[in-house]
Amino acid sequence: MYSDLVIEHFTNPRNVGVIENADGVGRVGNPVCGDMMEIFIKVEDGRIADVKFRTFGCGAAIATSSMATEMVKGKPIEDVLRLTRKDVADALGGLPAHKMHCSNLAVDALRAALHDYFSKHPELLPAGVRLEDLAPPPEDSSAEEA
Amino acid sequence: MAIDLDKGVYLDHAATTPVDRRVVEAMLPFWTERYGNPSSIYRLGRDAAKALNGARERIAGILQADPSEIIFTSCGTESDNLAIRGVAFAQRARGKGTHIITSSVEHHAVGHTVEQLVKKFGFEATFLPVDHYGMVDPDEVARAIRPDTVLITIMYANNEVGTIQPIAEIGRLARERGIPFHTDAVQAGGALPLDVNALNVDLLSLSAHKFYGPKGVGLLYVRKGTPLWPMQTGGSQERNRRAGTENVAFAVGMATALELAYAELEQTNRRVQALRDRLIAGVLERIPDVELTGHPTQRLPNSASFVVKYVEGEAMLLNLDMKGIFASSGSACTSMSLSPSHVLTAMGFPPEIAHGSLRMTLGKGNTEEEIDYVLDVLPEIVSRLRAMSPLYQPAA
Ligand SMILES: Cc1ncc(COP(=O)(O)O)c(C=O)c1O
Ligand code: FES
């Protein structure tokens, strides 16, 4: 049911771990099945200089965490803000329909980490971006929208 | 003896079992040479009827039943459906009432059938709670019985955690009050005694693929005098209780598999249970924060089930699969519905603990080498996943 790429990222996940003194930390739970993810970011010159994650979840959750961190590493924050769960799922060669919600975890955690970062540095918030839009979704929200 | 990793280490015998070669041999003639329809009057048909009824008699012998009390079906699920809906409708038509008693840890073949009777057909049901081991208390059954109770259905042994229910005791309560008692014995078949008189049951479901028979054939034992409406209407096969041309090959296969299982029962159970105990002891010893689920002693001899804290079941299964080990889990993420197993939930496990569900069910083909291999591989998998888990704080 999983693509080879999903299995590959699940088997050898990139960027697993914790960043001490991270510039931003995002922690989100998955309201659908109760899983959890943490993302740590280091920001330099408006780019994601380093990123690490820890995930408690299924194969798809771990693979999307790994892929999402790869996709944002070294990228300007503006790009990260545009990342959707579909981008991550597509990069993995697709996910089974009932596993699409797992990719929310990674995208939401990244945005939560940026929320944390910009809360400390509101002056760096890019034009047109509102801090509240980056806030992690409340626990009971539907996981269906990207 | 080395382990054949191409073949894999199969530890999911509660899901299904390989067909015993002797069973395959016994079935073969009934497709190509002895292919008659048992309802036909000429020699070819009579031969098929003889084989079919021979299978019925052999099975009845093991169940201590009369052959006329055995109905062949297409699977365990159909047997459960026929038993529950068939008795419920017949009882209501006789004005006996509309109340059904069952447990909260049944297989969906029972649980969803009862739920449908409640939601769509105006029945009422009591879903009895279980204790932390998944055990139903017979006193609770007695308390739940009402004047309008028309059926009690409680499984013999649980498919997820292996717990064996006090069937004979519950059956005695039902018998005293004249209420038909059904048990889903699908997991017990080939492992536990099936004497329907000692068990005090009126209906009992079995499925051949759980005891080295083929998939797609089951049976329902129905004690004489038990009210039962057919759920499948048509010809007069199976004494008008289950219409449709009988699957002679599969009936013969099921009878052969059941006979082999009970001829070799003690020997198989002794071997499998020793391996299972080695597996349970090894897992509990080598992996911290693991709990055995299900009853410690009143459990199927082949069943080892756990919750492994701070890791998710599907992630464990994928890792085991990569090592050539086939197991299963009741975790939310492994189910299409994305909710944790109703069995673990009924046993009081919170969702985050049920997440780490891991079930390994052994069979007669497993070896000590295979178990030792699992015990080598599993602790590494768990530590790797825990290192990745935000919930896990290793002891300093
Ligand atoms: C307890 C129990 N009941 C019923 C069934 C359904 O049997 P079958 O697969 O033959 O429909 C199973 C099999 O998974 C089972 O374990
Ligand atoms: S994280 Fe639970 S299904 Fe993916």
Side-chain angles (χ1 to χ4, degrees):
Chain A
M1 72 169 193
Y2 287 134
S3 72
D4 290 347
L5 201 54
V6 171
I7 294 292
E8 206 279 314
H9 271 266
F10 169 74
T11 318
N12 304 299
R14 330 306 194 244
N15 310 310
V16 174
V18 173
I19 301 177
E20 304 296 340
N21 313 316
D23 297 321
V25 180
R27 275 192 192 89
V28 294
N30 187 329
V32 177
C33 58
D35 298 302
M36 210 181 286
M37 179 179 188
E38 284 175 348
I39 279 196
F40 305 83
I41 53 171
K42 269 283 182 203
V43 181
E44 275 165 30
D45 303 331
R47 286 172 182 271
I48 304 291
D50 197 10
V51 51
K52 294 229 183 289
F53 79 89
R54 292 201 301 184
T55 292
F56 168 62
C58 73
I62 291 172
T64 51
S65 305
S66 167
M67 179 53 94
T69 53
E70 278 294 273
M71 289 170 84
V72 301
K73 204 169 180 173
K75 293 281 159 41
I77 284 175
E78 282 80 359
D79 291 5
V80 180
L81 290 171
R82 277 192 294 270
L83 190 75
T84 67
R85 68 168 186 172
K86 186 169 179 304
D87 298 335
V88 181
D90 287 350
L92 283 167
L95 284 174
H98 71 290
K99 291 286 182 180
M100 275 306 284
H101 75 274
C102 312
S103 51
N104 282 335
L105 211 55
V107 173
D108 287 347
L110 270 171
R111 294 172 74 88
L114 287 172
H115 181 271
D116 183 37
Y117 171 71
F118 287 124
S119 310
K120 298 179 210 158
H121 308 281
E123 72 286 0
L124 297 178
L125 199 64
V129 178
R130 293 182 317 167
L131 194 57
E132 46 289 17
D133 294 341
L134 298 174
E139 281 291 308
D140 62 349
S141 83
S142 155
E144 287 317 307
E145 65 270 339
Chain B
M1 196 171 65
I3 305 170
D4 181 353
L5 285 183
D6 285 338
K7 189 178 115 231
V9 176
Y10 186 71
L11 293 177
D12 203 13
H13 292 80
T16 194
T17 58
V19 182
D20 190 302
R21 294 207 183 280
R22 293 168 292 183
V23 172
V24 176
E25 289 300 321
M27 289 191 292
L28 283 176
F30 294 96
W31 283 300
T32 47
E33 294 142 39
R34 301 174 64 185
Y35 54 83
N37 183 325
S39 300
S40 304
I41 55 158
Y42 40 77
R43 182 169 35 113
L44 196 67
R46 292 197 305 273
D47 172 62
K50 209 184 267 172
L52 177 69
N53 290 321
R56 201 187 306 280
E57 280 162 25
R58 285 148 67 197
I59 290 169
I62 291 167
L63 272 57
Q64 301 294 306
D66 189 84
S68 66
E69 297 173 313
I70 306 293
I71 305 174
F72 285 110
T73 66
S74 68
C75 60
T77 300
E78 187 194 330
S79 303
D80 288 340
N81 274 258
L82 174 57
I84 294 166
R85 220 175 286 124
V87 169
F89 287 162
Q91 288 274 78
R92 178 166 68 180
R94 293 168 176 217
K96 298 276 188 190
T98 53
H99 179 238
I100 299 167
I101 297 172
T102 187
S103 85
S104 44
V105 294
E106 298 296 313
H107 189 274
H108 288 324
V110 168
H112 287 175
T113 304
V114 173
E115 276 169 27
Q116 193 200 42
L117 284 171
V118 171
K119 286 192 190 131
K120 309 277 185 194
F121 293 97
F123 283 81
E124 285 177 75
T126 302
F127 290 84
L128 294 172
V130 292
D131 66 13
H132 188 62
Y133 297 132
M135 190 80 90
V136 172
D137 179 353
D139 290 343
E140 298 257 15
V141 179
R143 275 197 291 277
I145 293 175
R146 313 193 316 207
D148 62 340
T149 302
V150 292
L151 173 68
I152 300 174
T153 173
I154 308 274
M155 72 200 315
Y156 193 169
N158 185 268
N159 45 304
E160 289 187 34
V161 297
T163 299
I164 300 168
Q165 302 295 351
I167 289 307
E169 222 180 314
I170 297 169
R172 194 172 42 73
L173 292 171
R175 177 76 42 85
E176 282 165 10
R177 292 158 177 85
I179 302 166
F181 176 44
H182 167 248
T183 191
D184 173 346
V186 169
Q187 287 295 331
L192 303 178
L194 291 182
D195 179 335
V196 291
N197 302 312
L199 288 171
N200 296 324
V201 297
D202 301 307
L203 306 108
L204 177 143
S205 304
L206 286 176
S207 178
H209 73 101
K210 309 291 186 179
F211 45 82
Y212 309 94
K215 295 167 191 54
V217 56
L219 68 79
L220 180 65
Y221 157 78
V222 185
R223 187 178 294 278
K224 275 198 188 89
T226 306
L228 182 87
W229 276 11
M231 289 296 111
Q232 187 161 304
T233 48
S236 57
Q237 292 91 351
E238 303 296 282
R239 296 171 166 255
N240 289 311
R241 291 168 303 182
R242 202 273 186 181
T245 299
E246 305 87 339
N247 193 332
V248 180
F250 276 22
V252 168
M254 182 165 193
T256 308
L258 200 65
E259 265 184 344
L260 287 170
Y262 283 87
E264 298 164 1
L265 187 72
E266 262 181 60
Q267 184 190 334
T268 310
N269 280 354
R270 202 173 323 113
R271 244 198 97 245
V272 168
Q273 182 164 343
L275 291 178
R276 192 277 312 267
D277 289 344
R278 186 184 182 90
L279 178 62
I280 291 179
V283 167
L284 296 179
E285 187 188 297
R286 294 186 197 192
I287 308 176
D289 295 315
V290 173
E291 186 185 334
L292 181 73
T293 55
H295 199 280
T297 54
Q298 290 297 105
R299 65 187 299 135
L300 287 169
N302 74 335
S303 164
S305 60
F306 307 92
V307 283
V308 182
K309 290 183 192 148
Y310 318 115
V311 292
E312 190 284 314
E314 191 206 82
M316 273 189 286
L317 296 190
L318 286 171
N319 273 298
L320 285 167
D321 181 21
M322 280 174 233
K323 297 286 185 182
I325 300 165
F326 310 137
S328 93
S329 167
S331 130
C333 304
T334 49
S335 78
M336 283 288 184
S337 65
L338 298 174
S339 45
S341 137
H342 68 287
V343 175
L344 295 174
T345 303
M347 288 163 64
F349 289 96
E352 66 275 16
I353 301 294
H355 246 46
S357 143
L358 177 65
R359 177 187 77 176
M360 293 181 277
T361 45
L362 285 66
K364 59 185 185 180
N366 290 127
T367 63
E368 202 168 289
E369 286 82 358
E370 289 180 334
I371 299 307
D372 290 345
Y373 171 66
V374 174
L375 289 173
D376 269 350
V377 166
L378 185 59
E380 280 170 38
I381 290 175
V382 172
S383 355
R384 206 173 74 84
L385 289 172
R386 280 183 178 164
M388 224 187 277
S389 167
L391 298 182
Y392 187 56
Q393 306 294 345

